């Protein structure tokens, strides 16, 4: 197994800088052993802020299978990481609001009307247990099937339905 230094003639830490070299080192070692490496790591930008870099390191092999070189692609993943973190926080807020909300709520798949989740207020209101509802068809809870169809039609058309009351069948 050849070293990167023997391939390029100088220590890789001098090419990349010590911080980048230490961050990339596990992937470099993996690639030198013949495997592709992918790793995201933090780095300090010149303005002092933290950024994130995703490195793809792919070994280039000779016909006999020995590693002759490495292809390295580096991508700034700072914005992607920030968006993912923002989405995680948003989902966490929604989950807490849904679960603790005083209004009875359900989450239903539009494609087949199957109940995905219900909050505690809905369980209290309906008398059903979560196990009895999750995975079951939501229409079974509606007194008037035509009202359900109108609700679904309006949800698809407008993205939300407000200011209406519906009669649902409770277990009580």
């Amino acid at each position: 197994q050849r070293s990167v230094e023997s391939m390029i003639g100088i220590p890789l830490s001098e090419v990349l800088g010590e911080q980048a070299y230490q961050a990339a080192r596990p992937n470099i070692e993996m690639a030198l052993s013949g495997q592709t490496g992918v790793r995201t790591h933090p780095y300090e930008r010149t303005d002092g802020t933290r950024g994130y870099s995703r490195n793809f390191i792919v070994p280039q092999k000779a016909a006999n299978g020995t590693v002759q070189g490495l292809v390295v692609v580096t991508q700034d993943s700072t914005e992607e990481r920030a968006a993912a973190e923002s989405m995680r926080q948003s989902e966490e807020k929604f989950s807490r609001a849904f679960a603790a909300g005083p209004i009875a709520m359900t989450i239903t798949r539009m494609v087949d009307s199957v109940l995905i989740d219900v909050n505690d207020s809905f369980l209290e209101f309906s008398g059903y247990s979560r196990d009895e509802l999750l995975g079951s068809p939501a229409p079974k809870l509606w007194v008037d099937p035509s009202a359900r169809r109108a609700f679904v039609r309006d949800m698809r058309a407008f993205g939300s339905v407000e200011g209406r009351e519906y009669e649902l069948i409770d277990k009580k």
Side-chain angles (χ1 to χ4, degrees):
Q1 173 179 327
R2 295 176 63 196
S3 70
V4 173
E5 185 174 339
S6 71
M7 291 179 198
I8 62 175
I10 60 172
L12 189 55
S13 59
E14 288 183 27
V15 175
L16 298 177
E18 191 60 34
Q19 179 185 4
Y21 172 71
Q22 290 304 325
R25 188 172 163 183
N27 278 351
I28 293 168
E29 290 172 359
M30 183 183 292
L32 287 172
S33 73
Q35 300 174 12
T36 297
V38 179
R39 183 162 185 264
T40 300
H41 62 89
Y43 67 93
E44 186 175 330
R45 294 175 166 170
T46 56
D47 65 1
T49 61
R50 178 174 283 215
Y52 290 88
S53 172
R54 182 179 300 117
N55 297 311
F56 302 86
I57 303 178
V58 181
Q60 295 299 296
K61 298 178 183 177
N64 66 4
T66 61
V67 175
Q68 298 297 304
L70 303 175
V71 174
V72 180
V73 177
T74 300
Q75 174 186 24
D76 186 339
S77 60
T78 306
E79 288 182 22
E80 179 183 328
R81 187 178 178 103
E85 176 60 19
S86 178
M87 177 65 81
R88 185 196 63 75
Q89 289 175 0
S90 177
E91 288 172 351
E92 188 177 292
K93 285 179 189 175
F94 171 80
S95 181
R96 283 195 312 264
F98 176 81
I103 298 171
M105 293 186 279
T106 67
I107 299 175
T108 306
R109 268 195 319 244
M110 291 292 288
V111 67
D112 60 4
S113 297
V114 169
L115 289 164
I116 302 298
D117 202 358
V118 296
N119 69 357
D120 290 342
S121 294
F122 190 87
L123 297 175
E124 185 178 321
F125 158 79
S126 70
Y128 289 100
S129 72
R130 187 169 266 105
D131 287 340
E132 290 175 297
L133 293 174
L134 298 188
S136 68
K140 80 175 190 177
L141 299 172
W142 288 67
V143 171
D144 180 1
S146 66
R148 167 79 182 159
R149 287 190 298 275
F151 173 81
V152 170
R153 181 194 65 229
D154 290 349
M155 279 295 291
R156 286 188 173 132
F158 306 113
S160 66
V161 177
E162 297 178 27
R164 298 187 197 161
E165 290 186 17
Y166 300 99
E167 284 187 77
L168 300 177
I169 299 169
D170 62 26
K171 187 177 177 179
K172 297 175 187 176

